[in-house]
């Protein structure tokens, strides 16, 4: 049997997907590869009998593909992500105003492990694709169009560092030398030239708000809102407690409050099973996970029914902890030949520390019937 040579387009898709292993979201090329890469192809679901018929090399390649697949199961279209995306579209599209109007900013403020960055990147990919499809890859001036810019903060980020990170993202030749003001003008020029419309600032909680750097960057956010034709989307943990949305009597409070006045706060919640709707949302998510898992002995209800309580207790309703546990469980199931997920196998898999700390209390409540995770059931 002969196979046809892949077309240039098919070869390009494979190459683009393979280079995601080495992408960095701090550069436009890395984000572009993430946004434009074709959807990952799911390995064929084989039975144990079919697995036994594979040769040594073919089996190794098949398991390698499954390892990669299970390590990248998401993002899932959870109710939380869908609701967040609707809010983001509302604000982003409403910011399509004339240049004399200040654009409203967004602050996504939620606890770790709820999929904030994953959800924002999924939204940013949609923004990138929509704008490129509507307006093309090049501006009227002949520059590359980059609808999205993403910057990550550290605890030592000042205004100069922040602007330099924008220049680094665009690969600007002037990113190595200059003052904070120089970098600011160059950053504005880069965003204008690329016609960027969404500026994502991740890990905002790393910023020490009330020291010199924090006040500088907060002032700079105000400058961005006034001068940059972008929607500013900030992601962090505990931003409200850090004073981003509050008004106080001190100069520092007033500076932060100006940012808060122009910013819409959004959040993401963990799954809860205290209501029938919450239990339904949890089961729908588990069904989505179950559908994607590629294990020879998978059966209907393996995850959504038989492991519902276990997975809620182990993840505490946090999507990040859930996907970590599923990923690691699938890796072990493939490697050991178990080819299914069950409580015995998951008991051998370690999860993140925060989820493990809350595990015992939830397991006891579920075992005693005080809590139920499946819809249609009532707690004792």
């Amino acid at each position: 049997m002969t196979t046809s040579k892949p077309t240039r387009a098919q070869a390009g898709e494979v190459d683009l997907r393979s280079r995601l292993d080495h992408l960095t979201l701090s550069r436009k090329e890395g984000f572009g590869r993430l946004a434009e890469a074709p959807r990952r192809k799911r390995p064929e679901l084989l039975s144990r009998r079919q697995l036994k018929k594979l040769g040594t090399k073919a089996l190794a390649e098949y398991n390698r593909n499954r390892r990669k697949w299970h390590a990248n199961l998401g993002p899932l279209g959870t109710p939380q992500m869908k609701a967040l995306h609707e809010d983001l579209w509302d604000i982003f599209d409403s910011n399509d105003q004339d240049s004399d109007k200040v654009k409203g900013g967004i602050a996504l403020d939620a606890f770790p492990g709820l999929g904030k960055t994953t959800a924002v990147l999924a939204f940013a990919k949609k923004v990138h694709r929509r704008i490129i499809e509507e307006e093309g890859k090049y501006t009227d001036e002949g520059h590359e169009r980059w609808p999205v810019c993403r910057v990550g903060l550290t605890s030592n980020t000042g205004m100069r560092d922040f602007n330099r990170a924008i220049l680094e993202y665009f690969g600007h030749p002037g990113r190595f030398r200059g003052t904070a003001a120089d970098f600011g003008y160059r950053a504005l020029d880069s965003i204008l030239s690329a016609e960027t419309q969404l500026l994502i600032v991740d890990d905002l909680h790393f910023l020490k708000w009330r020291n010199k750097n924090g006040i500088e960057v907060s002032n700079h956010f105000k400058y961005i809102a006034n001068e940059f034709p972008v929607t500013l989307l900030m992601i962090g943990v505990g931003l409200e407690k850090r004073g981003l949305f509050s008004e106080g009597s001190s100069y520092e409070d007033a500076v932060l409050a100006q940012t808060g006045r122009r910013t819409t706060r959004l959040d993401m919640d963990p799954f809860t099973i205290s209501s029938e709707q919450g239990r339904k949302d949890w089961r729908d998510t588990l069904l989505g996970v179950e559908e994607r898992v590629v294990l020879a002995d998978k059966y209907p209800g393996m995850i959504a029914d038989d492991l519902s309580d276990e997975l809620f207790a182990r993840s505490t309703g946090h999507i990040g902890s859930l996907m970590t546990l599923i990923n690691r469980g699938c890796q072990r199931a493939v490697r050991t030949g178990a080819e299914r997920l069950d409580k015995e196998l998951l008991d051998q898999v370690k999860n993140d520390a925060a989820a493990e700390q809350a595990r015992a209390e939830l397991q006891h409540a579920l075992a005693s019937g005080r809590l139920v995770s499946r819809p249609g059931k009532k707690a004792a």
Side-chain angles (χ1 to χ4, degrees):
M1 179 179 178
T2 60
T3 58
S4 60
K5 183 179 179 181
T7 66
R8 181 177 298 181
Q10 290 171 332
E13 286 189 357
V14 172
D15 180 61
L16 187 59
R17 172 58 65 186
S18 68
R19 284 187 291 150
L20 288 179
D21 293 339
H22 310 290
L23 70 82
T24 169
L25 296 180
S26 63
R27 298 283 183 89
K28 65 183 189 299
E29 293 84 2
F31 180 82
R33 289 200 294 273
L34 176 70
E36 297 172 7
R39 181 170 295 184
R40 193 179 300 275
K41 185 177 180 181
R42 174 166 45 188
E44 182 183 358
L45 180 60
L46 301 181
S47 66
R48 281 192 178 270
R49 178 177 296 181
Q50 290 172 312
L51 287 178
K52 290 179 180 179
K53 291 182 178 179
L54 292 177
T56 302
K57 185 176 181 180
L59 179 61
E61 180 65 18
Y62 178 67
N63 286 341
R64 176 180 178 275
N65 291 336
R66 287 199 292 172
R67 288 198 303 271
K68 197 72 173 176
W69 172 258
H70 288 136
N72 297 277
L73 281 179
L76 295 174
T78 63
Q80 293 91 331
M81 180 182 287
K82 291 177 181 177
L84 175 66
H85 282 193
E86 288 301 316
D87 289 334
L88 291 174
W89 280 123
D90 286 345
I91 299 168
F92 180 78
D93 287 342
S94 69
N95 276 343
D96 191 10
Q97 302 164 316
D98 294 336
S99 58
D100 61 324
K101 295 181 175 66
V102 175
K103 298 183 186 299
I106 307 165
L108 179 53
D109 184 12
F111 287 112
L114 296 176
K116 297 186 300 298
T117 298
T118 299
V120 166
L121 288 177
F123 173 74
K125 288 164 60 176
K126 293 177 182 178
V127 169
H128 176 93
R129 290 180 174 182
R130 186 178 82 171
I131 294 175
I132 293 298
E133 181 177 347
E134 291 177 350
E135 303 182 30
K137 290 190 174 183
Y138 296 93
T139 69
D140 291 341
E141 300 297 323
H143 302 295
E144 288 183 334
R145 176 177 278 110
W146 292 101
V148 177
C149 173
R150 177 199 168 274
V151 175
L153 294 189
T154 69
S155 59
N156 295 317
T157 301
M159 187 168 66
R160 183 176 184 274
D161 302 311
F162 180 81
N163 287 330
R164 187 184 182 283
I166 294 177
L167 297 179
E168 189 70 36
Y169 180 87
F170 288 106
H172 195 288
R175 64 189 182 275
F176 300 110
R177 293 178 181 273
T179 65
D182 292 334
F183 283 3
Y185 292 133
R186 293 167 191 165
L188 175 57
D189 180 64
S190 296
I191 283 177
L192 290 174
S193 297
E195 296 189 0
T196 301
Q197 297 185 36
L198 179 65
L199 175 58
I200 299 171
V201 182
D202 206 351
D203 294 325
L204 195 63
H205 52 276
F206 285 155
L207 193 65
K208 295 179 180 177
W209 287 98
R210 299 182 187 279
N211 70 5
K212 180 182 177 182
N213 285 350
I215 299 302
E216 277 185 351
V217 176
S218 184
N219 271 324
H220 196 54
F221 289 162
K222 178 185 174 185
Y223 168 69
I224 288 173
N226 286 334
E227 304 297 333
F228 287 47
V230 297
T231 296
L232 179 62
L233 200 173
M234 300 171 281
I235 310 170
V237 177
L239 302 182
E240 186 171 19
K241 291 183 179 180
R242 294 170 190 268
L244 179 61
F245 311 106
S246 63
E247 297 182 1
S249 58
S250 68
Y251 168 73
E252 291 83 358
D253 288 334
V255 169
L256 297 178
Q258 285 190 359
T259 302
R261 278 287 181 179
R262 295 172 175 177
T263 303
T264 300
R265 180 183 182 274
L266 302 177
D267 61 10
M268 293 185 74
D269 296 320
F271 288 95
T272 60
I273 53 174
S274 56
S275 67
E276 183 68 8
Q277 184 60 51
R279 292 188 285 272
K280 183 178 184 302
D281 289 343
W282 174 245
R283 188 170 193 274
D284 287 344
T285 298
L286 294 186
L287 284 171
V289 173
E290 184 178 297
E291 191 272 334
R292 297 189 185 199
V293 165
V294 183
L295 297 173
D297 288 348
K298 182 179 78 170
Y299 58 89
M302 180 183 75
I303 291 175
D305 295 330
D306 294 352
L307 291 174
S308 179
D309 288 358
E310 177 71 9
L311 290 172
F312 190 85
R314 294 289 303 274
S315 69
T316 63
H318 287 62
I319 188 67
S321 300
L322 170 66
M323 298 310 293
T324 296
L325 189 57
I326 292 292
N327 175 15
R328 293 176 182 176
C330 287
Q331 303 297 350
R332 183 178 287 254
V334 170
R335 189 176 62 253
T336 62
E339 291 295 339
R340 70 164 58 189
L341 296 182
D342 55 29
K343 187 178 184 305
E344 182 180 357
L345 182 141
L346 290 180
D347 280 343
Q348 302 173 54
V349 176
K350 305 298 186 295
N351 207 1
D352 63 87
E356 291 297 324
Q357 287 176 357
R359 173 183 178 182
E361 183 178 348
L362 278 172
Q363 282 183 322
H364 179 71
L366 288 161
S368 65
R370 288 189 293 111
L371 276 178
V372 294
S373 67
R374 293 175 59 187
K377 291 189 172 185
K378 293 184 178 181

